Amino acid sequence: MKTRNTIKIIGLIILGGIVLQLAIGCKSNRKDISSVTPGEELPSSALNSTKKTITQQDTTVAKNTAISSDAISKEAEKEGLVFCRNSETQLVEMTEFLVEYDCCAEVAYGFGNGSGTAFCPTFRQDEYNNEEYNSFVENSFKRVNAEPLSTFSLDVDAASYSNMRRMINLGKFPPADAIRTEELINYFHYDYEKPVGNDPVKINSEITACPWNKAHYLVKIGVKAKEIPSQNLPASNFVFLIDVSGSMYGPTRLDLVKSSLKLLVNNLREKDRVAIVVYAGAAGEVLPSTSGADKQKIMEKINELTAGGSTAGGSGIRLAYKIAEKNFIPNGNNRVIICTDGDFNVGVSSNSDLEKMIEEKRGSGVFLTVLGYGMGNYKDSKMQVLAQKGNGNHAYIDNIQEANKVLVNEFGSTMYAVAKDVKIQVEFNPQHVAQYRLVGYESRLLAKEDFNDDTKDAGELGAGHTVTALYELIPVGVKSNFNTVDPLKYQNKESEEINYKASFSDELMTVKLRYKEIDSEVSKKIEQVVKREMIGKAASEDFNFIVSVALFGQLLKNSDFVKNATYNDVIALANKGIGKDEQGYRKEFVRLVEAAKQLKK
């Protein structure tokens, strides 16, 4: 028996040495990913006739299976797997980490037949045809005589911008449904007047000529939330809810999640608390609620996270809320921070089921931050459901700089709400405005009756946040080719209930805003009148930049309303609004526009 055991041990040592030599050989055969093409023949030194599990940094990165091409399924693709074909048409499952950084042969050698040939597939991280976005129809012009009220929920998200940036930087033109113009606008900070008095928000407005139709006006409605220094923010009760399923493997997914959360942990105070919940095939708590002073313990748990398995997102969300409620801090900042690519495929996974579940949690007093990661398999549609229905906000993290922007530089506005259920309702004066169009906010529209209904959910505003909405107006007397209808047969203008009081003759529109204090379910209303005397004033730098971003978003969507505009118009407007730009985000925007212009050729 001892002899057999000794032989086994010696055999394992020899086998380990062979595997190590093969691994080193494979490393020497790595190629820069940009130089590997589908069907390329790779060195025989990277192949071996026996099946082996390849490990890197104690993490299994290849499964011990060789399967036929017929066995590739959509379910496997949902797991974020890619496949490497060798000369016998066998297929090897690989994680995207290896696809992004290594030659296929590095994991394929355990599945070869000694012929010295392996073939690399097309790399999925360079595509986004498996990503999912909600489809919506662009807002059209409304006739003031028929619909004098425009109502919507204020949207503080900016995920669409960084997602668009990621695509353009990869040399891909973004699909139209990935572009939410209001989120492009709200990615940037603007110098709006701060609120005074008891209200935590203030309305700012401005008017300028519409650059893509000089006969029209653009009206900016800007909202500024009160600022609170980070050190004065109340104690936070965070639950990090981290997707560790197979689709999250790789440097742009779980690795980036870990780096991002470390930035946040570095800025926690002793009175702040963090719990960590993970989910793959099932959900579990890996760190009970822990003081922010114990950073090393929190960091260790984050470092231990690895990816693999299916995605039971629904059970993870339920557990995270349960833990957040268990450790609830009265008058504090109670929030679940979910990090995922949104690919839920076990349990609650449909958009309608997620919406129902998250609405149930909305009344718990726990807020939600949704951080999206990854490419090629990103489910933006599910992220939007979570953020919009769960007292939440949504950001897309495409690199560590974006993580620093969202989680450090804009910590207060991202992580601490000062007003909830914020709604806007605008009433247009038919004496001066014939038609209007809300630019963006298609997924945030509300019925006019929802404005005064405190049971209707709306957006949340974080400390120091600025949020902007744009209306394009067609003045009375200006001929329009939009929304033209035949004259009414059974009623005329005189029969419509329109208030033409002389006292309102100088008013263009009235902006009404409703919000709730964080600990209240009863809303408060503030109003601001936009007067005609504002027309003709020079646009501010911020307004010029806002208009440039709005125009860019519409060009990306191939909008019917900006047919005469060009990318050069966007660049000219943006350059007029660069301003101080201390962080360089506006200059980066101009570079993105220039790149998009070339991609569109």
Side-chain angles (χ1 to χ4, degrees):
M1 182 66 70
K2 289 183 178 179
T3 303
R4 288 181 180 177
N5 289 339
T6 302
I7 292 172
K8 285 183 179 179
I9 293 171
I10 293 171
L12 288 172
I13 293 172
I14 293 171
L15 180 60
I18 293 171
V19 170
L20 181 60
Q21 277 189 316
L22 287 168
I24 293 170
C26 288
K27 295 288 182 183
S28 66
N29 283 294
R30 283 190 194 177
K31 300 183 69 175
D32 182 83
I33 196 67
S34 62
S35 67
V36 178
T37 58
E40 179 178 348
E41 185 170 323
L42 301 173
S44 58
S45 60
L47 300 172
N48 189 279
S49 60
T50 58
K51 297 180 181 181
K52 295 182 177 65
T53 300
I54 311 304
T55 61
Q56 181 169 338
Q57 296 179 346
D58 299 324
T59 301
T60 299
V61 295
K63 297 181 180 179
N64 280 332
T65 54
I67 57 178
S68 69
S69 58
D70 294 336
I72 300 179
S73 66
K74 291 184 178 179
E75 289 302 314
E77 288 200 4
K78 287 180 180 178
E79 290 301 314
L81 301 173
V82 285
F83 300 85
C84 187
R85 183 190 301 273
N86 70 16
S87 60
E88 288 189 336
T89 69
Q90 292 174 322
L91 295 165
V92 180
E93 298 182 30
M94 299 189 306
T95 61
E96 291 192 4
F97 177 86
L98 289 174
V99 173
E100 290 174 1
Y101 284 103
D102 296 302
C103 176
C104 285
E106 186 165 344
V107 293
Y109 75 82
F111 300 86
N113 66 350
S115 68
T117 305
F119 293 89
C120 288
T122 301
F123 300 113
R124 257 185 36 204
Q125 80 273 15
D126 285 338
E127 302 173 1
Y128 48 81
N129 57 4
N130 201 35
E131 298 184 1
E132 294 178 5
Y133 300 93
N134 286 324
S135 181
F136 56 87
V137 178
E138 187 178 19
N139 288 331
S140 59
F141 279 97
K142 305 292 185 183
R143 299 179 67 85
V144 174
N145 282 351
E147 298 180 65
L149 297 174
S150 174
T151 312
F152 62 97
S153 165
L154 216 57
D155 189 357
V156 301
D157 298 336
S160 183
Y161 183 89
S162 47
N163 190 32
M164 170 273 296
R165 176 179 61 199
R166 178 259 297 185
M167 294 180 192
I168 291 177
N169 283 336
L170 284 174
K172 303 289 187 180
F173 201 81
D177 287 338
I179 303 302
R180 293 182 290 274
T181 303
E182 73 280 5
E183 294 190 17
L184 270 57
I185 294 170
N186 289 325
Y187 181 83
F188 302 92
H189 177 82
Y190 305 110
D191 189 21
Y192 294 158
E193 290 184 20
K194 300 175 184 178
V196 294
N198 296 324
D199 291 317
V201 295
K202 180 177 176 59
I203 302 171
N204 294 259
S205 57
E206 197 172 353
I207 305 174
T208 191
C210 180
W212 53 85
N213 194 324
K214 299 297 185 182
H216 296 181
Y217 299 136
L218 283 179
V219 178
K220 176 198 75 181
I221 299 172
V223 178
K224 172 72 174 179
K226 70 177 179 181
E227 297 177 353
I228 303 176
S230 296
Q231 63 271 20
N232 295 339
L233 291 172
S236 294
N237 161 37
F238 291 138
V239 178
F240 296 166
L241 175 57
I242 305 170
D243 182 352
V244 293
S245 63
S247 66
M248 285 294 289
Y249 200 102
T252 63
R253 292 174 171 78
L254 186 57
D255 291 352
L256 184 55
V257 168
K258 292 157 74 170
S259 299
S260 302
L261 293 179
K262 289 176 186 177
L263 295 177
L264 178 55
V265 171
N266 280 332
N267 289 279
L268 293 178
R269 303 158 299 180
E270 183 177 359
K271 63 181 180 180
D272 299 324
R273 303 193 67 81
V274 170
I276 300 177
V277 173
V278 299
Y279 64 92
E285 182 182 40
V286 299
L287 178 71
S289 189
T290 301
S291 168
D294 199 350
K295 291 179 173 53
Q296 182 176 352
K297 183 177 181 180
I298 301 171
M299 296 284 199
E300 286 174 354
K301 290 298 180 182
I302 292 174
N303 285 332
E304 291 171 3
L305 299 177
T306 58
S310 54
T311 318
S315 60
I317 292 171
R318 286 196 179 94
L319 179 58
Y321 271 92
K322 181 180 178 180
I323 293 171
E325 291 167 16
K326 176 184 176 182
N327 298 285
F328 193 87
I329 301 176
N331 300 317
N333 179 25
N334 300 279
R335 185 173 293 267
V336 170
I337 303 172
I338 180 170
C339 303
T340 179
D341 62 0
D343 188 14
F344 303 161
N345 51 39
V346 174
V348 175
S349 58
S350 71
N351 286 5
S352 59
D353 288 343
L354 283 170
E355 181 175 332
K356 185 182 299 183
M357 180 186 68
I358 208 71
E359 283 179 340
E360 293 173 0
K361 302 298 183 183
R362 198 165 59 211
S364 65
V366 177
F367 288 78
L368 180 68
T369 291
V370 182
L371 302 180
Y373 291 83
M375 58 188 75
N377 199 45
Y378 181 59
K379 309 303 182 188
D380 178 85
S381 57
K382 287 184 171 60
M383 307 292 215
Q384 285 290 292
V385 168
L386 295 174
Q388 292 186 10
K389 301 299 180 180
N391 280 354
N393 50 35
H394 175 203
Y396 177 79
I397 309 298
D398 58 332
N399 54 46
I400 196 65
Q401 290 83 9
E402 184 66 13
N404 190 66
K405 176 180 184 289
V406 172
L407 299 177
V408 179
N409 296 342
E410 299 175 359
F411 175 84
S413 58
T414 303
M415 296 296 174
Y416 182 70
V418 296
K420 65 181 182 180
D421 292 338
V422 184
K423 311 170 191 174
I424 295 282
Q425 186 168 79
V426 179
E427 181 180 355
F428 296 94
N429 185 348
Q431 286 182 274
H432 307 299
V433 183
Q435 297 183 47
Y436 65 88
R437 177 175 73 96
L438 177 60
V439 179
Y441 286 91
E442 285 85 0
S443 65
R444 294 281 190 164
L445 299 179
L446 298 172
K448 58 181 181 293
E449 296 84 4
D450 292 343
F451 183 71
N452 292 324
D453 185 349
D454 283 351
T455 66
K456 297 296 183 180
D457 180 57
E460 283 64 49
L461 273 180
H465 227 134
T466 58
V467 188
T468 304
L470 281 183
Y471 280 97
E472 182 178 352
L473 309 184
I474 301 178
V476 169
V478 173
K479 184 179 179 181
S480 171
N481 295 321
F482 302 108
N483 196 13
T484 57
V485 295
D486 291 337
L488 297 177
K489 179 178 179 180
Y490 298 108
Q491 67 184 53
N492 54 38
K493 181 177 289 188
E494 285 70 31
S495 68
E496 297 176 15
E497 295 181 3
I498 299 175
N499 192 339
Y500 284 115
K501 287 184 180 178
S503 57
F504 299 146
S505 62
D506 63 340
E507 297 182 5
L508 200 64
M509 54 197 266
T510 297
V511 181
K512 298 178 288 184
L513 181 149
R514 278 196 178 276
Y515 73 92
K516 295 175 186 173
E517 301 280 1
I518 296 303
D519 56 354
S520 174
E521 294 304 320
V522 179
S523 68
K524 297 179 180 180
K525 183 175 74 171
I526 59 177
E527 294 186 7
Q528 184 184 87
V529 174
V530 179
K531 296 192 174 184
R532 295 182 66 209
E533 64 187 27
M534 297 174 65
I535 297 173
K537 293 184 178 179
S540 65
E541 285 185 338
D542 275 351
F543 200 5
N544 279 319
F545 191 79
I546 289 166
V547 174
S548 75
V549 179
L551 179 54
F552 183 52
Q554 292 173 96
L555 287 174
L556 291 176
K557 294 181 68 65
N558 196 27
S559 170
D560 291 332
F561 303 105
V562 294
K563 292 296 186 183
N564 297 322
T566 68
Y567 289 100
N568 287 334
D569 295 329
V570 175
I571 294 169
L573 279 166
N575 284 328
K576 289 171 63 177
I578 292 292
K580 295 179 181 178
D581 193 30
E582 294 176 355
Q583 302 295 328
Y585 297 129
R586 297 190 185 191
K587 292 186 179 72
E588 179 193 53
F589 170 76
V590 173
R591 292 193 293 271
L592 285 174
V593 178
E594 291 170 342
K597 174 185 171 183
Q598 296 303 316
L599 290 174
K600 194 63 175 176
K601 286 184 176 179

